[in-house]
Amino acid sequence: FKGYIVRDETKFPNLCQWFDAMESRPSYMATKSDVYTHSRALPPQLGGNGCTYGEGHEMMKEAVDAYCLPTNESKNVSNFALDWHEEGWTSSSSVTTRWAIPGSNQNLKLNIHKREAAERIMKNHESICKFAARGAGTAGFPPASAELADPKAVSNEVIQLSVDVFLRYTIALLLAKDDRSNEEVLRSIELAVDAMVGDADTDADVAMNTVLATIDCLDYLRQRIGVPRDMSYPAAHELRQALLEVSLLLMNHGSSI
């Protein structure tokens, strides 16, 4: 919350060695959370002004929140924030091998974490679709004290089919094996949006409202991916990134038709 860098080998070499030692243990990595999850979970527990921002926090806050803002606010995010990754999970290698294997000096291919994210969605896809559709549903009453928690929220059953379709496209993006496959998935998403908005039998306003409601649902899910509850941080990062990419394509292509 302060934007203070603790993991600094120049200032705190022994502390950095301790971090490295802990992160070499798979038993620790299985319980390790990410900054985004902490930043949302702690304030409601502390209450009031228990968590405050310090001077110079802005750049780090933007980096932590980069893939968790509503889609319509994400276009102004800086490249630094989009490229930022938490220390303790990454290697200095290229982007295709950036995640480190806990307990090993080897680097793990990026697609392993994308596959982890895809597996977590596929394993429980019906419940996840229903959960995500709360984004276009009815808020629970009374409201929960935690901003992102709403156990009494009512899912929007009408939008669940659309959510299901675009979650499938999200999984396809995660599993795309190369740039060509990725481009094919993106083109398929555009065709799906064409079908939603360009259907002659569908009122244009109703169709666009369906697009916007689907985006709200994907945002609702993306903002609530918890680490390690749902998956590891590298997998969560890839899923958040893929969900945002799908939402942006929905918004941009839908509004251009």
Side-chain angles (χ1 to χ4, degrees):
F1 295 86
K2 306 295 184 183
Y4 185 74
I5 306 301
V6 176
R7 200 161 188 149
D8 186 327
E9 293 184 357
T10 302
K11 296 181 179 178
F12 312 112
N14 293 335
L15 184 58
C16 290
Q17 290 180 25
W18 181 82
F19 279 133
D20 292 340
M22 288 292 290
E23 288 155 1
S24 71
R25 304 177 67 89
S27 57
Y28 169 71
M29 295 302 287
T31 67
K32 183 179 177 180
S33 187
D34 68 339
V35 177
Y36 175 79
T37 302
H38 282 308
S39 71
R40 268 56 186 180
L42 281 176
Q45 297 177 55
L46 297 176
N49 295 320
C51 294
T52 58
Y53 294 111
E55 184 178 352
H57 74 279
E58 292 83 5
M59 186 169 69
M60 185 56 62
K61 183 180 186 300
E62 184 190 29
V64 172
D65 293 347
Y67 288 106
C68 302
L69 295 170
T71 298
N72 60 359
E73 297 179 18
S74 63
K75 294 182 179 181
N76 298 321
V77 176
S78 69
N79 289 333
F80 165 81
L82 293 173
D83 293 338
W84 179 80
H85 297 89
E86 284 188 25
E87 291 290 335
W89 305 85
T90 61
S91 72
S92 58
S93 304
S94 67
V95 69
T96 56
T97 57
R98 64 172 173 253
W99 306 113
I101 304 175
S104 172
N105 291 324
Q106 299 292 323
N107 288 321
L108 193 58
K109 291 290 185 181
L110 179 63
N111 65 355
I112 297 298
H113 297 294
K114 290 186 175 183
R115 288 168 61 186
E116 178 191 346
E119 184 273 336
R120 301 310 299 163
I121 296 294
M122 290 187 290
K123 184 177 181 179
N124 200 25
H125 70 281
E126 291 184 6
S127 295
I128 291 173
C129 284
K130 184 176 181 180
F131 175 81
R134 290 179 175 185
T138 305
F141 185 83
S145 59
E147 179 184 0
L148 298 181
D150 194 357
K152 296 182 180 181
V154 179
S155 180
N156 184 330
E157 295 184 3
V158 175
I159 203 66
Q160 285 182 29
L161 178 59
S162 179
V163 173
D164 178 78
V165 168
F166 288 97
L167 274 181
R168 291 171 188 264
Y169 281 124
T170 302
I171 292 171
L173 274 180
L174 290 167
L175 299 180
K177 62 182 179 180
D178 51 36
D179 290 342
R180 180 178 178 181
S181 299
N182 191 76
E183 288 300 321
E184 289 175 351
V185 175
L186 295 177
R187 179 55 185 154
S188 295
I189 295 173
E190 291 179 345
L191 292 174
V193 179
D194 289 343
M196 292 172 65
V197 179
D199 190 337
D201 296 328
T202 303
D203 180 89
D205 290 338
V206 172
M208 197 60 209
N209 285 339
T210 301
V211 171
L212 296 175
T214 303
I215 293 171
D216 288 342
C217 293
L218 296 180
D219 286 356
Y220 187 93
L221 176 62
R222 177 163 50 86
Q223 292 165 350
R224 289 162 176 80
I225 300 169
V227 176
R229 179 196 62 192
D230 301 320
M231 59 195 72
S232 68
Y233 166 70
H237 179 84
E238 299 304 332
L239 180 54
R240 291 164 181 161
Q241 189 175 47
L243 285 167
L244 178 59
E245 186 171 7
V246 171
S247 294
L248 284 170
L249 192 54
L250 269 165
M251 177 173 287
N252 295 334
H253 193 67
S255 61
S256 67
I257 296 176

